[in-house]
Amino acid sequence: MVSRRKFATGLIAAPFLARAQSAPLRARVKIDTERVIGDIDPMIYGNFAEHLGRCIDGGIFEEGSRLSDASGYRKDVLEAAKNLHVSQLRWPGGNFSSNYHWRDGIGPRDQRPPRLEMAWGTVESNRFGTHEFLDYCKLMGTEPYICTNMGTGSWTEAQEWVEYVNSPLDTAVTRERKRNGRAEPWRVKYWGLGNEMDGGWQMGHKDVVEYSKFALEAAKLMKWTDPDIKLIAAGSSNYGAGADWIGWNRTTLDFLKNHADYLALHLYVGNTQNDYGDFVACAMELHDRIKTAEGVIDAALSGVRNRKIYIAWDEWNVWYRARGNSQRGRKILEEHYNLEDALVVATFLNTFVNHAHILKMANMAQLVNVIAPIFTNETGLYLQTIYYPLQMFAANTKGKALELFVDTPRYSSRRFADVPYLDISASHDNGSLVINVVNRHRDQAIETEFETQDKQFSGAVEATEVNGPDLKSENDFGKMTVTPVAKRAAAQGNRLRYSFPPHSYTMLKARLA
Ligand code: AHR
């Protein structure tokens, strides 16, 4: 993992004073392909589609639009979603899932009941349900991840959903599936045991013991229906003063340690103070939470043999402008992202890779329009700044996550001390080395020397940079300001020198022999 405390060379007390300095900023990175953090699970490049605002209705799915196919899927959105290389897609929520009764969303579309949707203050038509979601995942080339209703739902409802979707047996429930046009089971692997159940905002919110007992009984029935499924327990989404984040997670795992495969955690961040240096450092908080959660998992599993529980960071993103009580109804949570948001997204992805041994799933929230990398109107779409880091990581950063020696200048911000200006992760996969670097510095390039310890660079190096004229640069319909740009890079022997421009995310791809 990137060491952020050990090498405090060049510590700059106040951020971005370096404009006055004359000497260029420099960094050193050592790479040894035998120093492995863990296998990078492709499931860390997941996304999320909730029945919320225009994510599904008006995003993924727009019946009657000239941009949609005969099933109602927006073809342009599907193309952009495929190109994002998302490995798995969580559905149907989010808060929505806590009052979602899946039987409302099966059978002939015109006969499905419209229901009051209380999480986000709309009416749910139910025209996009289980079949539509699973067909969409097939088209998109992604794995489905279904979150069950542990709020107003029942154990039987969760169990029968697994039976309907996964069982090869001939039962009343699977006959219903067949009558609805699907003979073979889909065999969905990932199932969530509710969403943010510790939050008072959740429909059917429970205290930790109520939730844990309820989820345990559901988990038993779900795994007895299909022993091959993987279950994701709802961890705490309350962190900070007054919240018992650790206690909720520990109790949940004490109940579910023999049944859950993942602990779900969430984090949204925002530049609420318009303090770039502090905002762009916020993945340090993610790092701290992952470490704490890992400790809680280790404690819960002490004495338990042959069981692993991993972290599923199944909601994360920048979300602060379109937030608050007014966010109810149709056009909600529609964040417009800028360059600094894209840099934060890249540092989150670096942090996931740098904890590859324990963090095995993650979901950027969400896919379209709602805090999302893809933004539509009735006539088209554009790709937001945050689209590119996720796309570049998902398509390229694979195999083993490498533990690096990083010697970089640092700074301190309002909330974080000793923040490395360069935030880095690296992967190695059959001779292919991928290095992801965010230069957090607002004004200065950082000249960096990479030195491989056990192999030599071989052949050309590809460099791709995401940057923009200023930190607040945004994309829009017909105006793509922040996009990946190819740059020149070269390596010789075991050294690669590269100058990372201010406020940039760069991916370097090289071969090692
Ligand atoms: O992603 C938006 C919302 O954020 C989700 O519905 C909920 O789980 C979280 O609070």
Side-chain angles (χ1 to χ4, degrees):
M1 133 194 5
V2 178
S3 176
R4 65 190 175 85
R5 300 214 193 273
K6 279 186 222 151
F7 311 104
T9 52
L11 181 70
I12 295 165
F16 315 113
L17 288 183
R19 197 198 286 272
Q21 295 179 345
S22 51
L25 293 178
R26 295 188 193 283
R28 289 186 306 136
V29 180
K30 292 186 190 179
I31 300 169
D32 182 336
T33 63
E34 290 188 327
R35 289 190 166 270
V36 171
I37 297 167
D39 288 324
I40 299 170
D41 195 318
M43 296 301 130
I44 69 172
Y45 305 125
N47 208 289
F48 175 31
E50 177 165 5
H51 292 251
L52 193 184
R54 299 190 303 126
C55 181
I56 292 178
D57 201 356
I60 287 172
F61 187 67
E62 200 167 1
E63 290 174 295
S65 163
R66 62 174 179 79
L67 298 176
S68 298
D69 66 13
S71 306
Y73 302 126
R74 274 277 294 254
K75 288 183 279 186
D76 55 342
V77 173
L78 179 60
E79 200 52 33
K82 273 194 206 164
N83 289 337
L84 194 53
H85 302 291
V86 163
S87 54
Q88 43 92 8
L89 190 63
R90 181 172 180 248
W91 172 84
N95 297 343
F96 173 84
S97 63
S98 294
N99 191 36
Y100 181 59
H101 300 285
W102 64 270
R103 282 179 186 282
D104 288 344
I106 57 171
R109 270 189 204 165
D110 290 336
Q111 292 169 29
R112 298 183 195 169
R115 300 273 185 209
L116 192 63
E117 203 296 284
M118 291 173 284
W120 301 106
T122 52
V123 171
E124 170 55 47
S125 71
N126 281 306
R127 294 179 71 80
F128 186 101
T130 301
H131 291 248
E132 286 78 12
F133 170 65
L134 294 172
D135 289 349
Y136 195 74
C137 288
K138 182 93 197 311
L139 291 171
M140 201 176 139
T142 197
E143 286 235 15
Y145 160 15
I146 295 179
C147 183
T148 60
N149 175 356
M150 298 278 120
T152 65
S154 69
W155 306 324
T156 307
E157 195 177 3
Q159 177 276 319
E160 287 191 347
W161 206 357
V162 178
E163 185 179 341
Y164 185 88
V165 169
N166 281 7
S167 178
L169 302 177
D170 181 32
T171 68
V173 173
T174 61
R175 282 182 191 177
E176 209 177 341
R177 179 187 76 218
K178 289 173 197 155
R179 278 199 301 278
N180 289 331
R182 174 80 190 193
E184 293 302 313
W186 284 277
R187 295 201 179 277
V188 170
K189 183 169 166 190
Y190 300 105
W191 292 81
L193 296 167
N195 176 70
E196 295 187 352
M197 296 309 302
D198 64 327
W201 58 88
Q202 210 63 221
M203 296 175 288
H205 155 70
K206 296 178 171 49
D207 71 30
V208 67
V209 173
E210 285 167 347
Y211 167 68
S212 302
K213 286 184 169 171
F214 191 91
L216 175 61
E217 295 312 308
K220 280 160 48 182
L221 299 183
M222 291 164 80
K223 282 213 167 169
W224 290 342
T225 304
D226 182 352
D228 292 335
I229 62 173
K230 299 286 177 199
L231 292 177
I232 298 115
S236 173
S237 46
N238 281 313
Y239 197 89
D244 191 10
W245 194 83
I246 293 175
W248 173 282
N249 292 332
R250 177 62 204 262
T251 304
T252 299
L253 291 179
D254 282 345
F255 276 90
L256 283 157
K257 64 186 167 202
N258 292 310
H259 297 82
D261 302 285
Y262 300 84
L263 178 70
L265 298 169
H266 296 172
L267 178 62
Y268 292 103
V269 293
N271 192 1
T272 46
Q273 309 288 314
N274 198 17
D275 178 345
Y276 166 73
D278 197 64
F279 177 50
V280 80
C282 65
M284 297 190 57
E285 187 178 342
L286 176 67
H287 165 92
D288 290 347
R289 291 196 195 185
I290 293 172
K291 296 302 297 170
T292 308
E294 183 178 5
V296 174
I297 291 171
D298 286 348
L301 285 182
S302 67
V304 181
R305 301 235 167 268
N306 305 322
R307 270 240 92 212
K308 284 267 184 211
I309 296 177
Y310 296 110
I311 297 171
W313 212 283
D314 64 6
E315 284 186 36
W316 66 271
N317 207 344
V318 174
W319 175 25
Y320 66 108
R321 288 155 289 222
R323 198 166 183 151
N325 292 340
S326 63
Q327 298 297 308
R328 293 182 70 73
R330 176 140 168 89
K331 276 200 157 192
I332 57 172
L333 278 65
E334 299 201 351
E335 288 272 355
H336 295 271
Y337 289 107
N338 59 28
L339 173 63
E340 65 184 20
D341 301 327
L343 300 182
V344 165
V345 161
T347 62
F348 268 54
L349 292 162
N350 273 342
T351 306
F352 295 148
V353 171
N354 285 327
H355 295 85
H357 64 293
I358 185 77
L359 197 133
K360 297 289 186 186
M361 279 183 98
N363 298 68
M364 176 192 267
Q366 300 194 8
L367 188 61
V368 193
N369 294 327
V370 170
I371 45 175
I374 302 168
F375 199 90
T376 69
N377 64 15
E378 302 71 33
T379 56
L381 62 78
Y382 75 91
L383 305 179
Q384 300 233 46
T385 61
I386 62 165
Y387 183 95
Y388 297 109
L390 179 58
Q391 180 196 44
M392 288 162 65
F393 268 81
N396 298 292
T397 308
K398 303 172 178 173
K400 310 274 182 206
L402 300 182
E403 185 169 3
L404 305 169
F405 167 91
V406 179
D407 179 7
T408 167
R410 290 162 184 268
Y411 69 98
S412 293
S413 74
R414 205 166 31 87
R415 289 177 301 159
F416 304 105
D418 208 14
V419 182
Y421 274 118
L422 289 192
D423 183 72
I424 311 185
S425 71
S427 66
H428 183 237
D429 187 29
N430 289 320
S432 162
L433 175 72
V434 174
I435 309 171
N436 294 289
V437 182
V438 174
N439 179 3
R440 292 179 163 120
H441 207 294
R442 187 169 52 197
D443 307 306
Q444 280 201 288
I446 302 186
E447 291 178 16
T448 306
E449 182 172 83
F450 295 90
E451 182 186 318
T452 51
Q453 305 293 289
D454 61 331
K455 292 196 171 10
Q456 303 280 306
F457 287 101
S458 142
V461 179
E462 270 178 48
T464 311
E465 181 184 313
V466 176
N467 206 338
D470 65 72
L471 296 169
K472 305 294 182 190
S473 300
E474 291 183 1
N475 297 339
D476 205 340
F477 295 102
K479 188 195 88 174
M480 294 299 285
T481 312
V482 179
T483 58
V485 173
K487 297 278 165 167
R488 287 166 68 86
Q492 214 173 23
N494 70 338
R495 278 169 211 261
L496 192 171
R497 290 194 180 84
Y498 196 85
S499 178
F500 295 99
H503 54 67
S504 62
Y505 158 54
T506 305
M507 174 177 278
L508 299 172
K509 283 175 71 178
R511 297 281 319 159
L512 295 180

